[in-house]
Amino acid sequence: RACARAGPGNDRSVRAPTRDKSPENGHRSMTIASLARRSPDPVTPSDSVWEAASRMKMADASAILVVDDGGVVGIVTEQDIVRRVAALGADPTTTCVADAMSQPVESIDEDVAVAFADALMNEQSHRHLVVLDSAGEPVGILDGNDVLRRRAEVLEEDVRSLERLAEAEPGG
């Protein structure tokens, strides 16, 4: 089947509501809204994998949302492109996103604690979650690497706190 966009040259874009979120340091009960990355402009199932990869590259993103009729129907990750396109020798300019995307998509509310999102990702072996606002609209993508980085920050904060306590104790 032919994709709607087979390669360079077509700049039609579909926009989904997104917001930039930056990490807030020092908040142990931080919600995933602060870690979620703004998704590149989403693609449709009939777009080419080349188009999806190009948008991901431009946004320095490891995943992109796939939308159809206004709703999220899938996600394409770097791993999807490697395993379902490149490793099979398929042409990304003629392979449709529908043939490479992961579905169904796991989503999570933006006000959920990072610890809960981490547990969900580990339990269900997901590396990405679609983050939804209170209206159910996608606002970004939570990447497992971002969660791991936050866990490392928390551990570093704990170590610094323990070091300060040890230094404050008499004889310490």
Side-chain angles (χ1 to χ4, degrees):
R1 88 183 134 175
C3 296
R5 284 182 269 176
N10 190 333
D11 63 354
R12 181 186 71 132
S13 63
V14 178
R15 291 201 177 264
T18 54
R19 283 185 267 164
D20 287 317
K21 298 286 185 179
S22 56
E24 301 169 26
N25 291 322
H27 289 77
R28 216 175 242 305
S29 61
M30 174 189 305
T31 64
I32 61 170
S34 60
L35 292 183
R37 294 180 183 216
R38 182 181 182 274
S39 174
D41 288 341
V43 291
T44 66
S46 62
D47 286 332
S48 70
V49 169
W50 180 91
E51 179 66 27
S54 296
R55 290 185 190 191
M56 290 165 60
K57 180 180 184 246
M58 293 294 289
D60 192 27
S62 62
I64 188 168
L65 299 178
V66 182
V67 298
D68 198 18
D69 294 327
V72 177
V73 296
I75 188 169
V76 175
T77 67
E78 292 168 327
Q79 191 173 43
D80 292 334
I81 293 170
V82 167
R83 290 183 176 178
R84 297 180 183 151
V85 181
L88 301 177
D91 182 350
T93 64
T94 59
T95 303
C96 294
V97 165
D99 297 325
M101 70 183 183
S102 293
Q103 60 179 344
V105 179
E106 187 71 38
S107 62
I108 193 164
D109 293 334
E110 68 181 345
D111 60 351
V112 169
V114 173
F116 180 82
D118 185 27
L120 178 67
M121 292 175 97
N122 285 323
E123 178 183 300
Q124 299 188 6
S125 300
H126 289 295
R127 294 187 61 199
H128 297 87
L129 295 174
V130 176
V131 180
L132 305 176
D133 65 13
S134 60
E137 294 294 322
V139 293
I141 297 173
L142 183 65
D143 184 313
N145 291 328
D146 296 327
V147 174
L148 288 175
R149 267 190 289 283
R150 179 60 192 147
R151 287 174 73 188
E153 290 170 3
V154 169
L155 288 173
E156 288 173 10
E157 292 168 8
D158 288 348
V159 167
R160 283 193 295 273
S161 293
L162 290 172
E163 287 172 342
R164 284 191 298 272
L165 282 173
E167 291 171 0
E169 284 186 19

